[in-house]
Amino acid sequence: MALKNTQYDEIMREYYRKQTEDRHEQEERIRRATEALPELAAIDHEIASLSISSARKALEGDETALSHLREDIKALSEKKTELLTSHGYPADYLEMHYHCPDCQDTGYIGQEKCHCFRQAVIDLLYTQSNIREILEEENFDHFSFRYYSDTAVSPTTGLSSLVTMKKLVAESMDFIRNFDTDFQNFFFYGDTGVGKTFLSHCIARELLKTAHSVIYFSAFELFDLLGRTTFQRGETEEEMKNMHAYIFDCDLLIIDDLGTELTNSFISTQLFLCINERLARRKSTIISTNLGLNVFRDTYSERVFSRITSSYKMRKFFGDDIRILKKLKNPGSLS
């Protein structure tokens, strides 16, 4: 859906807020460092004096003044960096720190919208911001292997639930680390409550932290949106094109709980379209389902199943229902 002026203004206000925050934080770092290291102020004063002196020389016709000034400023800047690092400060402590270094919190790189702007639009149009609250709890910092058994063994792989999950986490870390250079997709399947959604959330959190655009949908939400876009009157062709662009072009699309929605031929067709388009554009997708592979194939058609099995890494989760284990451990909580 195209942005309305009010929506665009809302996003740009957030960028202005970030820019103001960036400046205030830099000013505070400069204040703290200068109080601790008065020599920094002396160096800044020397740089200012040299700049005035060089400008005067340039006006008087000295053609070497500016090149000499650049050399002097470079030497003094290196002196500041050495002073900072020798006292335990990062080398870039006095520089501006941006939420998005690529666009420097403007939302634009030249005339083009930055990738972080895309995520801001996703958050606004598709109400994805609520996922950020979930990701504050469901992330690798809060991930625990203690709910996975080292005695329950898969008859297919011969690996325990614990070993299986450790391998899945390690593979997920590799996926995140190599995200920009190694195109991969995952199909997570297994019983309810064994960690499929949690691991998807962990991956989403890490990629959002590195300014990648991520859209998270439950299967019901995704197909409801696609259905409204297809059948609802008043949707213009341009709006439909924009809506599809965000779903098809985001860096990572997560479709959670596939199989819980009411499935029909329209759903199957839309799923195939979504999978096919993202594969063609080399955009990663993670799909999770509680359905077994045979049931999944029968539910969504051989065509969909074949596309997934040939293009996704199929990873089976197994073990006890973690939500029940947590409930038994802490009867006052359902989390």
Side-chain angles (χ1 to χ4, degrees):
M1 292 173 226
L3 282 178
K4 299 175 184 177
N5 289 338
T6 54
Q7 293 172 323
Y8 178 84
D9 291 343
E10 182 179 343
I11 290 174
M12 293 311 299
R13 278 196 299 273
E14 178 61 16
Y15 277 113
Y16 299 146
R17 186 197 66 76
K18 288 179 179 178
Q19 293 169 28
T20 301
E21 183 180 282
D22 296 339
R23 287 193 295 271
H24 287 169
E25 290 180 353
Q26 183 191 35
E27 290 167 0
E28 180 62 17
R29 289 194 301 275
I30 292 172
R31 184 189 67 77
R32 290 177 182 174
T34 304
E35 285 183 359
L37 303 170
E39 301 96 317
L40 291 172
I43 295 173
D44 285 337
H45 180 73
E46 188 175 353
I47 290 174
S49 298
L50 282 171
S51 299
I52 294 171
S53 175
S54 295
R56 187 181 298 116
K57 289 178 181 178
L59 289 172
E60 293 172 353
D62 186 346
E63 296 180 357
T64 65
L66 292 179
S67 61
H68 287 157
L69 175 62
R70 283 193 291 268
E71 293 173 2
D72 291 338
I73 289 179
K74 180 181 178 183
L76 289 170
S77 296
E78 290 173 352
K79 186 177 179 181
K80 284 177 68 174
T81 300
E82 290 172 5
L83 182 62
L84 285 167
T85 55
S86 66
H87 287 80
Y89 292 91
D92 65 347
Y93 187 73
L94 301 181
E95 297 174 12
M96 190 79 81
H97 295 172
Y98 299 103
H99 293 77
C100 179
D102 293 336
C103 70
Q104 298 186 347
D105 292 342
T106 63
Y108 285 81
I109 301 175
Q111 299 299 314
E112 299 294 323
K113 291 184 177 70
C114 183
H115 53 79
C116 67
F117 192 100
R118 278 200 303 163
Q119 186 62 44
V121 174
I122 288 168
D123 288 349
L124 183 65
L125 291 185
Y126 301 118
T127 61
Q128 296 290 293
S129 55
N130 64 323
I131 194 66
R132 292 180 182 272
E133 296 179 10
I134 296 173
L135 300 188
E136 288 302 310
E137 292 298 323
E138 298 195 4
N139 55 64
F140 283 121
D141 292 336
H142 295 138
F143 189 93
S144 174
F145 290 108
R146 70 178 181 272
Y147 298 106
Y148 295 94
S149 169
D150 59 355
T151 57
V153 175
S154 166
T156 305
T157 64
L159 300 177
S160 70
S161 174
L162 177 62
V163 171
T164 298
M165 201 62 204
K166 285 184 176 180
K167 288 172 69 69
L168 286 167
V169 169
E171 192 171 27
S172 298
M173 292 292 194
D174 286 339
F175 172 69
I176 294 162
R177 188 162 40 249
N178 303 317
F179 188 79
D180 293 320
T181 57
D182 186 11
F183 172 59
Q184 296 183 65
N185 305 285
F186 283 99
F187 184 84
F188 294 160
Y189 67 104
D191 293 335
T192 301
V194 290
K196 301 183 299 296
T197 298
F198 197 106
L199 187 57
S200 297
H201 287 167
C202 291
I203 293 170
R205 169 87 170 329
E206 294 305 307
L207 290 174
L208 283 170
K209 282 164 58 178
T210 52
H212 291 90
S213 56
V214 178
I215 296 184
Y216 172 93
F217 280 117
S218 70
F220 176 83
E221 291 169 334
L222 175 62
F223 295 125
D224 178 63
L225 177 61
L226 293 174
R228 284 189 286 110
T229 304
T230 302
F231 299 115
Q232 184 173 314
R233 292 183 178 180
E235 295 281 2
T236 68
E237 182 178 347
E238 186 63 26
E239 287 174 334
M240 290 176 61
K241 198 162 38 170
N242 286 335
M243 191 281 295
H244 283 159
Y246 287 115
I247 292 176
F248 295 154
D249 284 339
C250 66
D251 296 324
L252 176 66
L253 174 66
I254 298 175
I255 307 175
D256 196 27
D257 273 344
L258 195 59
T260 56
E261 77 290 349
L262 180 62
T263 307
N264 52 39
S265 59
F266 170 78
I267 297 295
S268 180
T269 300
Q270 290 298 308
L271 178 59
F272 183 80
L273 171 67
C274 187
I275 290 170
N276 227 34
E277 282 290 333
R278 290 187 61 80
L279 287 172
R281 302 178 194 206
R282 296 185 66 79
K283 297 294 184 179
S284 294
T285 306
I286 296 176
I287 296 174
S288 72
T289 182
N290 297 333
L291 302 179
L293 294 184
N294 290 338
V295 175
F296 182 88
R297 181 195 58 211
D298 294 341
T299 302
Y300 293 100
S301 80
E302 186 70 44
R303 182 177 68 156
V304 170
F305 185 71
S306 175
R307 206 74 177 97
I308 289 176
T309 54
S310 63
S311 306
Y312 283 60
K313 291 187 173 181
M314 313 291 286
R315 297 296 181 259
K316 184 174 183 178
F317 290 59
F318 79 98
D320 297 317
D321 189 323
I322 295 172
R323 282 167 289 194
I324 293 176
L325 293 178
K326 286 184 176 181
K327 177 63 177 175
L328 294 173
K329 186 178 180 65
N330 183 11
S333 173
L334 286 174
S335 61

